[in-house]
Amino acid sequence: MEILLGKTLSELQSVAEQCGLPKYAGKQLADWLYVKRVTSIDEMTNISAKGRMALKSTYAVGRVNPSAQAVSADGTAKYLFAVNNGQVVESVYIPETDRATVCISTQAGCKMGCKFCMTGTLGFHGHLTAAEMLNQVFSIPQSDTLTNIVVMGEGEPMDNLDNVLRFLEIMTADYGPAWSPKRITVSSVGLLPGLKRYLDASDCHLAVSLHNPFHIEREQIMPVEHAYYINKVIELLKQYDFNHQRRVSFEYICWGGINDTPKHANELLRLLKGLTCRINLIRYHDGGQASFPSSDEKQMQWLADYLSEHGITTTIRKSRGEDILAACGMLVNSLQK
């Protein structure tokens, strides 16, 4: 069966006509899929019984409920979803006082191989479709309460950009959920070709995984640096406007004595000079590997204060869901085990 979820308005209009329905029924299909968020064609009651029968002969909605879940002591929830080729991915719901965020995956596993990331140990097992990304938003129990989406789960979004852009188009479209791009942030380790295309095609926010401002040191922990130097990534970003609607931020995991020193702080200031941005400092989650020493709270606070005092807004991100392996870099499909 072909899946309706993930189709654009023009594609749904074609589906309608192929099934003997008027072209305007495509807008009705979009409304049922993306606004009312039905799980079956039978629920599309303003489409004729004959039309629904024709649709069901070829198509299915494509919604899949999570197959497992875990809830953290801090209220964070993690969900396991079946995706293509028998693979699974995890998504994370993060409740806060003034917002409710879902962190979705774009690939099964990841091919980037960052040395500090548990997800990278899974290897790469395939791209997710736009439908599978939408399903992670629509099929969690808290879907109706969501205020923000972060595309920061398993995988590198710029390595699956066609599907990511389709997901973003539908989420922000008038015929879809009509979310503001300001409510969605997409992450990247810095794949330059995809990054440029993303910046040209989308108004959603960007978060760059930085973690070290020095080329040689970053190269040792992030293989992407072999091909795409971080200074070239910053040069690209400086060509875009981040002073108004769209924002760019940098994710920076802190390791004691490794990247939290005055030398690194000053290099960050030099590297990012002239770029309107913010830095999110993140405590390292080793998941029992203990391969890197995490910075202590005092040093992280010093780094945050120093960077902020010198013109770059810097905050320390509160860790969430670490006890259920749901924090940054910890998604390894543990719910499957």
Side-chain angles (χ1 to χ4, degrees):
M1 299 292 280
E2 192 172 343
I3 300 302
L4 292 174
L5 199 67
K7 291 188 180 297
T8 63
L9 177 58
S10 62
E11 290 169 338
L12 291 172
Q13 289 170 335
S14 295
V15 166
E17 291 180 314
Q18 290 164 12
C19 291
L21 295 165
K23 184 176 181 180
Y24 68 76
K27 179 66 168 66
Q28 294 173 316
L29 289 173
D31 187 64
W32 285 114
L33 291 168
Y34 304 130
V35 181
K36 298 184 176 70
R37 302 185 186 183
V38 298
T39 58
S40 72
I41 291 171
D42 285 330
E43 297 174 73
M44 301 178 179
T45 53
N46 64 350
I47 293 174
S48 69
K50 182 180 178 181
R52 294 199 300 271
M53 187 68 68
L55 284 166
K56 287 193 294 182
S57 69
T58 306
Y59 298 96
V61 168
R63 289 279 297 278
V64 179
N65 288 328
S67 56
Q69 69 178 64
V71 181
S72 166
D74 64 25
T76 299
K78 185 169 72 168
Y79 298 96
L80 186 75
F81 285 99
V83 292
N84 57 83
N85 299 323
Q87 299 298 319
V88 295
V89 297
E90 291 178 330
S91 312
V92 180
Y93 167 73
I94 309 162
E96 298 175 83
T97 303
D98 58 347
R99 64 174 59 195
T101 302
V102 64
C103 174
I104 69 164
S105 296
T106 56
Q107 295 176 315
C110 185
K111 64 174 76 166
M112 295 299 106
C114 298
K115 305 302 182 186
F116 50 85
C117 180
M118 293 174 64
T119 307
T121 64
L122 294 173
F124 174 69
H125 301 286
H127 298 302
L128 269 60
T129 64
E132 289 165 335
M133 295 176 208
L134 289 162
N135 187 65
Q136 294 173 70
V137 176
F138 293 168
S139 294
I140 62 171
Q142 307 89 348
S143 179
D144 290 340
T145 71
L146 293 174
T147 62
N148 295 82
I149 297 170
V150 291
V151 187
M152 298 182 182
E154 296 178 33
E156 163 57 43
M158 304 305 154
D159 189 46
N160 186 18
L161 192 54
D162 286 344
N163 288 312
V164 169
L165 288 176
R166 176 179 284 261
F167 163 78
L168 296 176
E169 176 189 337
I170 291 169
M171 282 301 307
T172 58
D174 290 341
Y175 65 80
W179 273 43
S180 166
K182 293 186 292 184
R183 297 168 63 190
I184 305 174
T185 301
V186 180
S187 70
S188 177
V189 295
L191 290 184
L192 271 175
L195 194 56
K196 184 178 191 311
R197 186 175 158 217
Y198 167 76
L199 290 168
D200 289 337
S202 174
D203 291 324
C204 295
H205 298 319
L206 173 68
V208 177
S209 297
L210 177 53
H211 309 309
N212 201 303
F214 292 106
H215 164 65
I216 300 262
E217 294 180 17
R218 190 172 190 260
E219 192 175 43
Q220 292 170 352
I221 58 171
M222 300 180 70
V224 68
E225 186 73 16
H226 294 310
Y228 303 114
Y229 291 13
I230 190 60
N231 66 309
K232 296 298 183 182
V233 173
I234 304 305
E235 286 177 14
L236 173 68
L237 296 179
K238 287 180 179 178
Q239 299 173 27
Y240 293 83
D241 178 15
F242 295 104
N243 292 297
H244 298 93
Q245 296 296 316
R246 183 164 56 179
R247 295 195 309 264
V248 61
S249 59
F250 293 91
E251 310 297 286
Y252 197 86
I253 297 173
C254 292
W255 297 293
I258 295 177
N259 69 344
D260 63 352
T261 70
K263 177 184 77 169
H264 292 87
N266 287 317
E267 181 64 10
L268 283 169
L269 294 174
R270 188 200 67 78
L271 181 68
L272 301 177
K273 184 177 180 180
L275 180 64
T276 302
C277 63
R278 68 167 52 234
I279 296 176
N280 295 314
L281 302 183
I282 304 169
R283 183 169 60 82
Y284 178 52
H285 308 112
D286 63 41
Q289 300 177 96
S291 52
F292 294 87
S294 185
S295 297
D296 61 37
E297 296 297 327
K298 182 178 179 181
Q299 189 64 17
M300 286 183 69
Q301 192 60 60
W302 170 84
L303 183 57
D305 292 343
Y306 185 85
L307 293 171
S308 294
E309 289 165 3
H310 287 79
I312 300 179
T313 300
T314 304
T315 57
I316 299 174
R317 179 183 292 167
K318 183 179 180 181
S319 293
R320 301 292 300 273
E322 187 173 3
D323 57 331
I324 57 169
L325 298 182
C328 294
M330 299 186 83
L331 298 186
V332 288
N333 301 331
S334 59
L335 288 174
Q336 187 183 33
K337 300 170 183 176

